[in-house]
Amino acid sequence: MSTRTLSRPTLASLTAANGQLRRQLAAVWHDHAELVAAARAAVIASYEGEALPMSVLIDTLDQLGALPEYAPQLTDAALAAVDGTGPVLSGRRIA
């Protein structure tokens, strides 16, 4: 059975790791501040009755790369209407 000795980290490696962790923490703080500001703007826009109150929040999430993908699901009736094989869908919910 072999015994493995662990080497002690050097001051330089600890300093580099500390710098990297500080940069990552600063990035997380920045993202958090951006999201809080966008959420507040969305709430204020909603209170003021603006047409698209979530637009600031959606834009911020998109800039941070955190916006979920959206793929609307169409019903069979909607797909048939688009193809021209189904009845006209006036006044019906199709998605």
Side-chain angles (χ1 to χ4, degrees):
M1 196 165 165
S2 66
T3 59
R4 187 180 216 187
T5 59
L6 297 175
S7 61
R8 297 181 70 185
T10 64
L11 181 59
S13 68
L14 289 175
T15 302
N18 186 29
Q20 181 182 7
L21 290 173
R22 284 178 177 266
R23 285 188 297 277
Q24 289 176 349
L25 182 60
V28 169
W29 281 343
H30 177 267
D31 291 352
H32 178 264
E34 289 285 323
L35 288 172
V36 168
R40 289 177 53 93
V43 169
I44 291 169
S46 176
Y47 287 163
E48 292 177 352
E50 290 188 22
L52 299 170
M54 298 294 287
S55 62
V56 173
L57 184 57
I58 291 169
D59 291 343
T60 303
L61 287 171
D62 190 29
Q63 288 173 355
L64 295 175
L67 187 64
E69 289 187 26
Y70 174 72
Q73 302 295 315
L74 297 178
T75 63
D76 291 335
L79 293 174
V82 170
D83 291 340
T85 59
V88 178
L89 297 175
S90 65
R92 295 182 60 194
R93 182 173 178 209
I94 61 171

